PDB file of all heavy atoms in Angstrom:
ATOM      1  N   VAL A 228     135.791  93.909  94.426  1.00  0.00           N
ATOM      2  CA  VAL A 228     135.187  95.088  95.061  1.00  0.00           C
ATOM      3  C   VAL A 228     134.529  94.718  96.386  1.00  0.00           C
ATOM      4  O   VAL A 228     134.950  95.154  97.456  1.00  0.00           O
ATOM      5  CB  VAL A 228     134.147  95.752  94.126  1.00  0.00           C
ATOM      6  CG1 VAL A 228     133.601  97.026  94.787  1.00  0.00           C
ATOM      7  CG2 VAL A 228     134.773  96.068  92.772  1.00  0.00           C
ATOM      8  N   GLY A 229     133.444  93.922  96.322  1.00  0.00           N
ATOM      9  CA  GLY A 229     132.733  93.597  97.557  1.00  0.00           C
ATOM     10  C   GLY A 229     131.457  92.818  97.274  1.00  0.00           C
ATOM     11  O   GLY A 229     131.454  91.911  96.436  1.00  0.00           O
ATOM     12  N   TYR A 230     130.363  93.233  97.923  1.00  0.00           N
ATOM     13  CA  TYR A 230     129.109  92.490  97.826  1.00  0.00           C
ATOM     14  C   TYR A 230     127.930  93.426  97.551  1.00  0.00           C
ATOM     15  O   TYR A 230     127.958  94.614  97.889  1.00  0.00           O
ATOM     16  CB  TYR A 230     128.865  91.715  99.126  1.00  0.00           C
ATOM     17  CG  TYR A 230     129.932  90.685  99.391  1.00  0.00           C
ATOM     18  CD1 TYR A 230     131.002  90.971 100.247  1.00  0.00           C
ATOM     19  CD2 TYR A 230     129.905  89.446  98.759  1.00  0.00           C
ATOM     20  CE1 TYR A 230     132.004  90.040 100.475  1.00  0.00           C
ATOM     21  CE2 TYR A 230     130.903  88.507  98.982  1.00  0.00           C
ATOM     22  CZ  TYR A 230     131.948  88.811  99.840  1.00  0.00           C
ATOM     23  OH  TYR A 230     132.942  87.885 100.048  1.00  0.00           O
ATOM     24  N   ARG A 231     126.879  92.840  96.958  1.00  0.00           N
ATOM     25  CA  ARG A 231     125.700  93.626  96.588  1.00  0.00           C
ATOM     26  C   ARG A 231     124.451  92.780  96.826  1.00  0.00           C
ATOM     27  O   ARG A 231     124.446  91.569  96.570  1.00  0.00           O
ATOM     28  CB  ARG A 231     125.786  94.017  95.116  1.00  0.00           C
ATOM     29  CG  ARG A 231     124.631  94.901  94.654  1.00  0.00           C
ATOM     30  CD  ARG A 231     124.755  95.238  93.177  1.00  0.00           C
ATOM     31  NE  ARG A 231     124.472  94.080  92.331  1.00  0.00           N
ATOM     32  CZ  ARG A 231     125.267  93.646  91.356  1.00  0.00           C
ATOM     33  NH1 ARG A 231     126.412  94.261  91.106  1.00  0.00           N
ATOM     34  NH2 ARG A 231     124.938  92.587  90.638  1.00  0.00           N
ATOM     35  N   PHE A 232     123.382  93.425  97.312  1.00  0.00           N
ATOM     36  CA  PHE A 232     122.098  92.744  97.452  1.00  0.00           C
ATOM     37  C   PHE A 232     121.286  92.962  96.184  1.00  0.00           C
ATOM     38  O   PHE A 232     121.064  94.093  95.758  1.00  0.00           O
ATOM     39  CB  PHE A 232     121.317  93.287  98.656  1.00  0.00           C
ATOM     40  CG  PHE A 232     119.904  92.771  98.743  1.00  0.00           C
ATOM     41  CD1 PHE A 232     119.648  91.459  99.111  1.00  0.00           C
ATOM     42  CD2 PHE A 232     118.829  93.599  98.439  1.00  0.00           C
ATOM     43  CE1 PHE A 232     118.346  90.979  99.184  1.00  0.00           C
ATOM     44  CE2 PHE A 232     117.523  93.128  98.512  1.00  0.00           C
ATOM     45  CZ  PHE A 232     117.292  91.812  98.876  1.00  0.00           C
ATOM     46  N   ASP A 233     120.843  91.855  95.567  1.00  0.00           N
ATOM     47  CA  ASP A 233     119.992  91.915  94.383  1.00  0.00           C
ATOM     48  C   ASP A 233     118.650  91.301  94.721  1.00  0.00           C
ATOM     49  O   ASP A 233     118.566  90.104  95.026  1.00  0.00           O
ATOM     50  CB  ASP A 233     120.624  91.133  93.217  1.00  0.00           C
ATOM     51  CG  ASP A 233     121.773  91.899  92.574  1.00  0.00           C
ATOM     52  OD1 ASP A 233     121.861  93.115  92.805  1.00  0.00           O
ATOM     53  OD2 ASP A 233     122.590  91.271  91.877  1.00  0.00           O
ATOM     54  N   ARG A 234     117.602  92.105  94.671  1.00  0.00           N
ATOM     55  CA  ARG A 234     116.278  91.606  95.013  1.00  0.00           C
ATOM     56  C   ARG A 234     115.680  90.818  93.841  1.00  0.00           C
ATOM     57  O   ARG A 234     115.718  91.250  92.699  1.00  0.00           O
ATOM     58  CB  ARG A 234     115.347  92.773  95.350  1.00  0.00           C
ATOM     59  CG  ARG A 234     114.021  92.315  95.965  1.00  0.00           C
ATOM     60  CD  ARG A 234     112.974  93.423  95.860  1.00  0.00           C
ATOM     61  NE  ARG A 234     113.397  94.643  96.517  1.00  0.00           N
ATOM     62  CZ  ARG A 234     112.706  95.228  97.495  1.00  0.00           C
ATOM     63  NH1 ARG A 234     111.602  94.682  97.938  1.00  0.00           N
ATOM     64  NH2 ARG A 234     113.131  96.361  98.010  1.00  0.00           N
ATOM     65  N   HIS A 235     115.090  89.674  94.141  1.00  0.00           N
ATOM     66  CA  HIS A 235     114.368  88.882  93.151  1.00  0.00           C
ATOM     67  C   HIS A 235     112.874  89.091  93.335  1.00  0.00           C
ATOM     68  O   HIS A 235     112.426  89.636  94.342  1.00  0.00           O
ATOM     69  CB  HIS A 235     114.682  87.395  93.315  1.00  0.00           C
ATOM     70  CG  HIS A 235     116.118  87.049  93.047  1.00  0.00           C
ATOM     71  ND1 HIS A 235     116.603  85.773  93.147  1.00  0.00           N
ATOM     72  CD2 HIS A 235     117.175  87.818  92.683  1.00  0.00           C
ATOM     73  CE1 HIS A 235     117.895  85.750  92.852  1.00  0.00           C
ATOM     74  NE2 HIS A 235     118.262  86.990  92.579  1.00  0.00           N
ATOM     75  N   ALA A 236     112.107  88.604  92.397  1.00  0.00           N
ATOM     76  CA  ALA A 236     110.652  88.730  92.495  1.00  0.00           C
ATOM     77  C   ALA A 236     110.103  87.975  93.693  1.00  0.00           C
ATOM     78  O   ALA A 236     109.036  88.313  94.214  1.00  0.00           O
ATOM     79  CB  ALA A 236     109.999  88.217  91.212  1.00  0.00           C
TER      80      ALA A 236
END
Side-chain angles (χ1 to χ4, degrees):
V228 183
Y230 297 97
R231 183 181 72 231
F232 172 72
D233 284 343
R234 191 198 302 238
H235 295 180

